[in-house]
Amino acid sequence: MARTVRRDDLVAYLDRYLRVADIPDSSPNGLQVQGVEKVARIAYAVDVSVQTIRAAERAHADFMIVHHGLWWGRHVPITGTMHARVSGLVRADLSLYAAHLPLDCHPKVGNNVELARLLGLRVMEPFGEYKGTRIGVIATAARPLGLKSFATRVAKTLDTSPRMLAHGPGTVRRVAIVSGGGAMMAEEAARAGCDTLFTGETSHAAVHPAREAGINVVFGGHYATETVGLAALQRHLTARFATPGVFLAAPTGY
Protein backbone atom coordinates (compact mmCIF):
# COMPACT_ATOMS: atom_id res chain seq x y z
CA MET A 1 0.00 0.00 0.00
CA ALA A 2 1.42 3.38 -1.03
CA ARG A 3 2.25 5.79 1.78
CA THR A 4 3.35 9.39 2.12
CA VAL A 5 6.51 10.36 4.00
CA ARG A 6 7.36 13.66 5.63
CA ARG A 7 9.88 15.62 3.56
CA ASP A 8 12.12 16.26 6.55
CA ASP A 9 12.11 12.58 7.55
CA LEU A 10 13.06 11.58 4.01
CA VAL A 11 15.87 14.15 3.90
CA ALA A 12 17.21 13.03 7.28
CA TYR A 13 17.17 9.40 6.18
CA LEU A 14 18.93 10.14 2.89
CA ASP A 15 21.55 12.26 4.64
CA ARG A 16 22.35 9.35 6.98
CA TYR A 17 22.09 6.53 4.45
CA LEU A 18 24.24 8.28 1.84
CA ARG A 19 26.60 9.81 4.43
CA VAL A 20 26.48 13.19 2.70
CA ALA A 21 28.20 15.03 5.57
CA ASP A 22 31.20 12.67 5.47
CA ILE A 23 32.05 12.86 1.76
CA PRO A 24 33.77 16.00 0.40
CA ASP A 25 32.48 16.99 -3.03
CA SER A 26 32.38 19.80 -5.56
CA SER A 27 28.58 19.65 -5.36
CA PRO A 28 26.62 20.68 -2.23
CA ASN A 29 24.89 17.37 -1.59
CA GLY A 30 21.58 17.10 0.22
CA LEU A 31 18.42 19.18 0.02
CA GLN A 32 19.01 22.05 -2.42
CA VAL A 33 15.43 23.33 -2.80
CA GLN A 34 12.63 22.83 -0.27
CA GLY A 35 9.19 21.81 -1.51
CA VAL A 36 5.93 20.52 -0.08
CA GLU A 37 6.00 19.00 3.43
CA LYS A 38 4.37 15.63 2.62
CA VAL A 39 5.86 13.47 -0.13
CA ALA A 40 3.54 11.10 -1.98
CA ARG A 41 5.71 10.43 -5.04
CA ILE A 42 9.47 10.61 -5.56
CA ALA A 43 11.08 11.33 -8.95
CA TYR A 44 14.61 10.20 -9.83
CA ALA A 45 16.77 11.74 -12.57
CA VAL A 46 20.46 11.88 -13.47
CA ASP A 47 20.37 15.65 -14.04
CA VAL A 48 18.28 18.53 -12.81
CA SER A 49 17.12 20.45 -15.89
CA VAL A 50 14.03 22.23 -17.13
CA GLN A 51 13.17 18.98 -18.94
CA THR A 52 13.32 16.79 -15.81
CA ILE A 53 11.59 19.37 -13.62
CA ARG A 54 8.66 19.52 -16.05
CA ALA A 55 8.60 15.73 -16.27
CA ALA A 56 8.51 15.49 -12.46
CA GLU A 57 5.63 17.96 -12.37
CA ARG A 58 3.71 15.96 -14.99
CA ALA A 59 4.32 12.80 -12.92
CA HIS A 60 2.84 14.56 -9.85
CA ALA A 61 6.09 14.11 -7.93
CA ASP A 62 6.68 16.04 -4.71
CA PHE A 63 10.39 15.29 -4.29
CA MET A 64 13.14 14.81 -6.91
CA ILE A 65 16.47 13.08 -6.30
CA VAL A 66 19.22 13.80 -8.83
CA HIS A 67 22.87 12.88 -9.27
CA HIS A 68 23.81 16.24 -10.80
CA GLY A 69 22.27 19.11 -8.86
CA LEU A 70 22.05 22.86 -9.34
CA TRP A 71 25.45 24.05 -8.10
CA TRP A 72 29.07 23.07 -8.68
CA GLY A 73 31.95 24.58 -6.76
CA ARG A 74 30.09 27.77 -5.89
CA HIS A 75 26.58 29.12 -5.89
CA VAL A 76 25.74 31.29 -8.88
CA PRO A 77 23.19 34.08 -9.45
CA ILE A 78 19.62 32.89 -10.00
CA THR A 79 19.40 34.23 -13.55
CA GLY A 80 18.92 32.77 -17.02
CA THR A 81 18.91 28.96 -17.05
CA MET A 82 19.35 28.79 -13.28
CA HIS A 83 16.29 31.01 -12.82
CA ALA A 84 14.24 28.77 -15.12
CA ARG A 85 15.20 25.71 -13.05
CA VAL A 86 14.72 27.24 -9.62
CA SER A 87 11.45 28.97 -10.53
CA GLY A 88 10.15 25.70 -11.99
CA LEU A 89 10.93 23.86 -8.76
CA VAL A 90 9.33 26.58 -6.62
CA ARG A 91 6.25 26.84 -8.84
CA ALA A 92 5.71 23.07 -8.57
CA ASP A 93 6.49 23.08 -4.81
CA LEU A 94 8.98 20.32 -5.71
CA SER A 95 11.88 19.50 -3.40
CA LEU A 96 15.28 18.87 -5.00
CA TYR A 97 17.81 16.56 -3.37
CA ALA A 98 21.28 16.05 -4.92
CA ALA A 99 23.58 13.07 -4.32
CA HIS A 100 26.76 13.18 -6.39
CA LEU A 101 29.83 11.41 -4.95
CA PRO A 102 27.76 9.91 -2.09
CA LEU A 103 25.78 8.00 -4.73
CA ASP A 104 28.86 7.03 -6.76
CA CYS A 105 30.63 5.41 -3.84
CA HIS A 106 27.79 3.94 -1.78
CA PRO A 107 28.52 0.26 -0.97
CA LYS A 108 24.95 -0.93 -1.56
CA VAL A 109 23.21 1.39 -4.06
CA GLY A 110 26.20 3.20 -5.55
CA ASN A 111 26.70 3.57 -9.28
CA ASN A 112 29.93 1.59 -9.25
CA VAL A 113 28.87 -1.42 -7.18
CA GLU A 114 25.69 -1.55 -9.27
CA LEU A 115 27.66 -1.48 -12.53
CA ALA A 116 29.78 -4.37 -11.26
CA ARG A 117 26.70 -6.35 -10.23
CA LEU A 118 24.85 -5.76 -13.49
CA LEU A 119 27.93 -6.75 -15.52
CA GLY A 120 28.32 -9.99 -13.57
CA LEU A 121 31.55 -8.93 -11.85
CA ARG A 122 32.60 -9.48 -8.24
CA VAL A 123 33.64 -6.40 -6.28
CA MET A 124 37.05 -6.89 -4.68
CA GLU A 125 38.07 -3.50 -3.25
CA PRO A 126 37.50 0.26 -3.47
CA PHE A 127 39.32 2.22 -6.18
CA GLY A 128 39.87 5.72 -7.46
CA GLU A 129 40.54 8.42 -4.91
CA TYR A 130 38.83 11.78 -5.42
CA LYS A 131 38.84 14.46 -2.72
CA GLY A 132 40.01 11.85 -0.22
CA THR A 133 37.25 9.32 -0.99
CA ARG A 134 37.50 6.09 -2.96
CA ILE A 135 34.64 6.56 -5.39
CA GLY A 136 35.02 3.48 -7.63
CA VAL A 137 35.61 -0.23 -7.27
CA ILE A 138 37.86 -2.95 -8.63
CA ALA A 139 35.92 -6.02 -9.74
CA THR A 140 36.85 -9.35 -11.29
CA ALA A 141 35.20 -11.64 -13.80
CA ALA A 142 34.39 -15.20 -12.73
CA ARG A 143 35.76 -16.32 -16.08
CA PRO A 144 38.02 -14.30 -18.37
CA LEU A 145 36.16 -12.34 -21.07
CA GLY A 146 37.35 -11.18 -24.44
CA LEU A 147 37.50 -7.40 -24.64
CA LYS A 148 34.87 -7.29 -27.38
CA SER A 149 32.64 -9.64 -25.38
CA PHE A 150 32.95 -7.33 -22.39
CA ALA A 151 31.98 -4.33 -24.54
CA THR A 152 29.01 -6.26 -25.89
CA ARG A 153 27.92 -7.04 -22.33
CA VAL A 154 28.12 -3.32 -21.50
CA ALA A 155 26.05 -2.46 -24.57
CA LYS A 156 23.30 -4.94 -23.72
CA THR A 157 23.24 -4.18 -20.00
CA LEU A 158 23.10 -0.40 -20.28
CA ASP A 159 21.42 -0.09 -23.69
CA THR A 160 24.33 2.03 -24.86
CA SER A 161 26.96 2.10 -27.62
CA PRO A 162 30.30 1.79 -25.85
CA ARG A 163 33.58 3.07 -27.23
CA MET A 164 36.93 1.42 -26.58
CA LEU A 165 40.61 2.22 -26.29
CA ALA A 166 42.15 -1.23 -26.75
CA HIS A 167 45.62 -0.62 -25.34
CA GLY A 168 45.74 -3.53 -22.90
CA PRO A 169 45.38 -7.32 -23.03
CA GLY A 170 42.73 -8.90 -25.21
CA THR A 171 41.27 -10.66 -22.17
CA VAL A 172 39.39 -8.88 -19.39
CA ARG A 173 39.97 -10.24 -15.88
CA ARG A 174 40.34 -7.31 -13.47
CA VAL A 175 38.31 -4.15 -14.07
CA ALA A 176 38.44 -0.74 -12.40
CA ILE A 177 34.98 0.83 -12.50
CA VAL A 178 34.35 4.57 -12.15
CA SER A 179 31.02 5.88 -13.44
CA GLY A 180 30.73 9.21 -15.23
CA GLY A 181 34.00 11.00 -15.97
CA GLY A 182 36.72 8.62 -14.75
CA ALA A 183 38.95 8.46 -17.83
CA MET A 184 41.74 10.30 -16.01
CA MET A 185 42.15 7.28 -13.73
CA ALA A 186 43.62 4.98 -16.40
CA GLU A 187 47.16 5.11 -15.02
CA GLU A 188 45.92 4.56 -11.45
CA ALA A 189 43.93 1.54 -12.66
CA ALA A 190 46.99 0.09 -14.39
CA ARG A 191 49.06 0.53 -11.21
CA ALA A 192 46.33 -1.35 -9.32
CA GLY A 193 46.85 -4.35 -11.62
CA CYS A 194 43.76 -3.85 -13.75
CA ASP A 195 43.73 -4.77 -17.43
CA THR A 196 40.62 -2.64 -18.10
CA LEU A 197 39.07 0.60 -16.88
CA PHE A 198 35.31 0.93 -17.34
CA THR A 199 33.97 4.46 -17.12
CA GLY A 200 31.43 6.76 -18.73
CA GLU A 201 32.72 9.67 -20.77
CA THR A 202 35.69 9.83 -23.10
CA SER A 203 37.77 12.73 -24.37
CA HIS A 204 40.83 13.53 -26.48
CA ALA A 205 42.89 13.73 -23.28
CA ALA A 206 42.15 10.10 -22.38
CA VAL A 207 43.92 8.51 -25.33
CA HIS A 208 47.62 8.93 -24.64
CA PRO A 209 47.51 8.07 -20.91
CA ALA A 210 45.66 4.82 -21.66
CA ARG A 211 48.11 3.89 -24.42
CA GLU A 212 51.12 4.70 -22.27
CA ALA A 213 49.73 2.78 -19.29
CA GLY A 214 48.98 -0.25 -21.49
CA ILE A 215 45.36 -0.55 -20.33
CA ASN A 216 42.02 -0.97 -22.06
CA VAL A 217 39.40 1.68 -21.44
CA VAL A 218 35.73 1.01 -22.19
CA PHE A 219 33.39 4.02 -22.20
CA GLY A 220 29.71 3.28 -21.59
CA GLY A 221 28.51 6.89 -21.63
CA HIS A 222 28.38 9.38 -18.75
CA TYR A 223 24.59 9.33 -18.59
CA ALA A 224 24.15 5.56 -18.96
CA THR A 225 26.67 4.68 -16.26
CA GLU A 226 24.97 7.02 -13.78
CA THR A 227 21.39 5.79 -14.10
CA VAL A 228 22.03 2.56 -12.22
CA GLY A 229 22.63 3.99 -8.74
CA LEU A 230 19.43 6.03 -8.93
CA ALA A 231 17.51 2.92 -9.96
CA ALA A 232 18.97 1.02 -6.99
CA LEU A 233 18.18 3.92 -4.64
CA GLN A 234 14.62 3.99 -5.98
CA ARG A 235 14.20 0.29 -5.16
CA HIS A 236 15.63 0.85 -1.69
CA LEU A 237 13.43 3.84 -0.84
CA THR A 238 10.31 2.18 -2.22
CA ALA A 239 10.94 -0.81 0.06
CA ARG A 240 11.82 1.42 3.02
CA PHE A 241 8.95 3.93 2.84
CA ALA A 242 6.41 2.32 0.45
CA THR A 243 6.30 5.68 -1.35
CA PRO A 244 5.87 5.37 -5.14
CA GLY A 245 8.71 6.48 -7.36
CA VAL A 246 9.25 7.29 -11.03
CA PHE A 247 12.49 7.40 -13.00
CA LEU A 248 12.68 10.34 -15.43
CA ALA A 249 14.69 9.33 -18.47
CA ALA A 250 16.49 12.25 -20.12
CA PRO A 251 19.51 10.83 -21.98
CA THR A 252 22.08 13.29 -23.28
CA GLY A 253 23.93 11.11 -25.78
CA TYR A 254 27.13 11.38 -23.73
Side-chain angles (χ1 to χ4, degrees), residues 109-210:
V109 299
N111 283 316
N112 295 306
V113 296
E114 269 297 286
L115 287 169
R117 183 186 69 80
L118 290 167
L119 293 171
L121 305 175
R122 181 184 176 190
V123 173
M124 303 303 292
E125 60 190 277
F127 167 79
E129 186 170 323
Y130 182 75
K131 292 184 177 290
T133 301
R134 297 280 184 176
I135 58 173
V137 296
I138 290 175
T140 57
R143 291 187 297 274
L145 288 165
L147 180 58
K148 289 185 178 179
S149 296
F150 178 73
T152 298
R153 184 178 293 188
V154 168
K156 291 180 178 178
T157 300
L158 299 181
D159 190 21
T160 189
S161 300
R163 299 182 64 183
M164 288 193 302
L165 297 175
H167 296 310
T171 302
V172 174
R173 292 183 172 87
R174 184 172 165 90
V175 184
I177 303 176
V178 182
S179 64
M184 70 287 193
M185 294 182 176
E187 187 176 357
E188 184 179 351
R191 288 198 304 268
C194 297
D195 49 71
T196 304
L197 169 65
F198 175 52
T199 187
E201 193 168 338
T202 185
S203 70
H204 168 84
V207 176
H208 292 297

Side-chain angles (χ1 to χ4, degrees), residues 27-147:
S27 167
N29 295 297
L31 187 67
Q32 294 190 343
V33 176
Q34 176 181 297
V36 67
E37 183 179 356
K38 290 186 177 180
V39 176
R41 183 179 294 268
I42 304 170
Y44 302 79
V46 174
D47 306 299
V48 61
S49 65
V50 171
Q51 178 185 359
T52 54
I53 292 166
R54 288 175 177 169
E57 190 173 9
R58 289 194 299 272
H60 304 290
D62 310 295
F63 193 101
M64 182 159 69
I65 302 173
V66 299
H67 188 51
H68 301 135
L70 289 169
W71 292 285
W72 297 91
R74 62 185 179 89
H75 286 203
V76 298
I78 310 299
T79 60
T81 298
M82 186 64 74
H83 177 269
R85 293 174 180 178
V86 172
S87 63
L89 290 163
V90 172
R91 182 182 63 251
D93 215 357
L94 175 66
S95 293
L96 179 72
Y97 188 100
H100 184 233
L101 293 187
L103 189 58
D104 284 325
C105 69
H106 196 274
K108 294 190 180 297
V109 299
N111 283 316
N112 295 306
V113 296
E114 269 297 286
L115 287 169
R117 183 186 69 80
L118 290 167
L119 293 171
L121 305 175
R122 181 184 176 190
V123 173
M124 303 303 292
E125 60 190 277
F127 167 79
E129 186 170 323
Y130 182 75
K131 292 184 177 290
T133 301
R134 297 280 184 176
I135 58 173
V137 296
I138 290 175
T140 57
R143 291 187 297 274
L145 288 165
L147 180 58

